[in-house]
Amino acid sequence: MFKINDIHTHHDYNDTNISYLKNLRTADILSGNYLSELKTAELNHNKYISVGIHPWDLSDYKEIIEDKNFFNNKLLAPIIQIIKHPKCLAIGECGLDKCINVDIDAQMTIFKKQILLSIEYNKSLIIHAVKSFNQIIELHKEYNPTQEWIIHGFRSNSVVAKQLTNHGIKLSFNIKAKNDTKLGEIIKMLGENNIYFETDDDDVI
Ligand SMILES: [Zn+2]
């Protein structure tokens, strides 16, 4: 992905000098809101989109988990439509979260499907990882993708940061992490050109 100022946000920017990826989740898909988001992305050169099935949203996609014919599932049709759109640069957040009460096998199934979509449509992957860095690294070895894998909201330690980046996985930090002593050191160690920044629910960049 080329350098984007904010790779994960839920807000729009008035400042057209700031390039950003607006993240769409289940609620945007099911409500049909994604159509207007795509339209405004078409009209604004600095606005891009990411879309994915977050592990927290899997209950909304129960039908998909149980559907062997995943790629033809009607709930996925809008997601594929968005992924194919030139203003969509990434799939995500998707990933593995071991701190939620959602079956980890189901999470893995849906995550792997999104890895395949990332490869098929050549889009980056924005990953939500909670207590699952080792599995993410194993999956990266297994699929050996040419697409970027980016850990969303990285706030672990320098050892983990090195492990991930040594395997070619990129990290994304909340913009406020620059002011954090521990995370600030990791950012310096990796160099700002090798990482991404995001705001998530914050307004400020
Ligand atoms: Zn978010």
Side-chain angles (χ1 to χ4, degrees):
M1 210 188 310
F2 57 89
K3 204 62 193 167
I4 294 270
N5 296 116
D6 183 350
I7 69 146
H8 183 100
T9 183
H10 299 275
H11 303 288
D12 286 302
Y13 284 93
N14 292 326
D15 183 345
T16 55
N17 291 316
I18 298 174
S19 55
Y20 65 99
L21 257 69
K22 189 158 184 190
N23 183 241
L24 306 183
R25 275 171 64 168
T26 303
D28 299 293
I29 308 302
L30 298 178
S31 67
N33 177 45
Y34 70 95
L35 291 167
S36 62
E37 295 289 357
L38 282 181
K39 186 67 33 223
T40 53
E42 283 166 12
L43 296 171
N44 292 284
H45 69 91
N46 57 321
K47 175 173 179 172
Y48 297 89
I49 298 290
S50 65
V51 66
I53 305 173
H54 196 295
W56 297 353
D57 296 338
L58 280 190
S59 54
D60 292 323
Y61 284 86
K62 210 168 181 315
E63 200 183 319
I64 289 181
I65 298 168
E66 287 158 8
D67 187 352
K68 299 272 180 290
N69 201 7
F70 179 84
F71 287 99
N72 290 328
N73 189 288
K74 66 181 187 304
L75 282 173
L76 260 190
I79 291 183
I80 306 263
Q81 184 193 342
I82 299 166
I83 291 170
K84 283 179 173 172
H85 195 285
K87 292 305 290 270
C88 176
L89 299 187
I91 297 175
E93 291 171 52
C94 53
L96 301 171
D97 188 331
K98 291 203 182 149
C99 287
I100 54 169
N101 192 19
V102 176
D103 179 52
I104 196 70
D105 291 337
Q107 290 192 45
M108 184 63 96
T109 302
I110 299 301
F111 183 41
K112 283 184 172 177
K113 298 290 185 192
Q114 292 179 95
I115 293 171
L116 292 175
L117 287 172
S118 152
I119 293 167
E120 181 177 355
Y121 293 104
N122 195 26
K123 307 282 170 160
S124 302
L125 203 63
I126 295 180
I127 300 167
H128 171 93
V130 178
K131 297 203 189 299
S132 59
F133 289 126
N134 286 340
Q135 273 160 304
I136 302 291
I137 288 171
E138 286 310 311
L139 286 165
H140 193 269
K141 283 193 218 159
E142 181 184 334
Y143 287 92
N144 195 22
T146 54
Q147 295 74 23
E148 277 188 331
W149 284 24
I150 304 162
I151 302 291
H152 159 70
F154 185 82
R155 59 183 86 83
S156 188
N157 59 49
S158 60
V159 176
V160 176
K162 271 195 197 124
Q163 270 172 353
L164 289 162
T165 52
N166 283 346
H167 284 94
I169 298 171
K170 296 266 167 93
L171 307 181
S172 171
F173 294 81
N174 190 289
I175 193 73
K176 288 178 183 164
K178 285 182 186 179
N179 304 325
D180 180 278
T181 319
K182 196 182 81 178
L183 293 173
E185 282 301 314
I186 299 174
I187 290 169
K188 259 188 229 146
M189 173 184 86
L190 298 173
E192 291 204 11
N193 289 333
N194 295 314
I195 57 181
Y196 289 104
F197 288 102
E198 60 188 40
T199 56
D200 213 349
D201 281 331
D202 296 321
D203 285 303
V204 261
I205 181 162

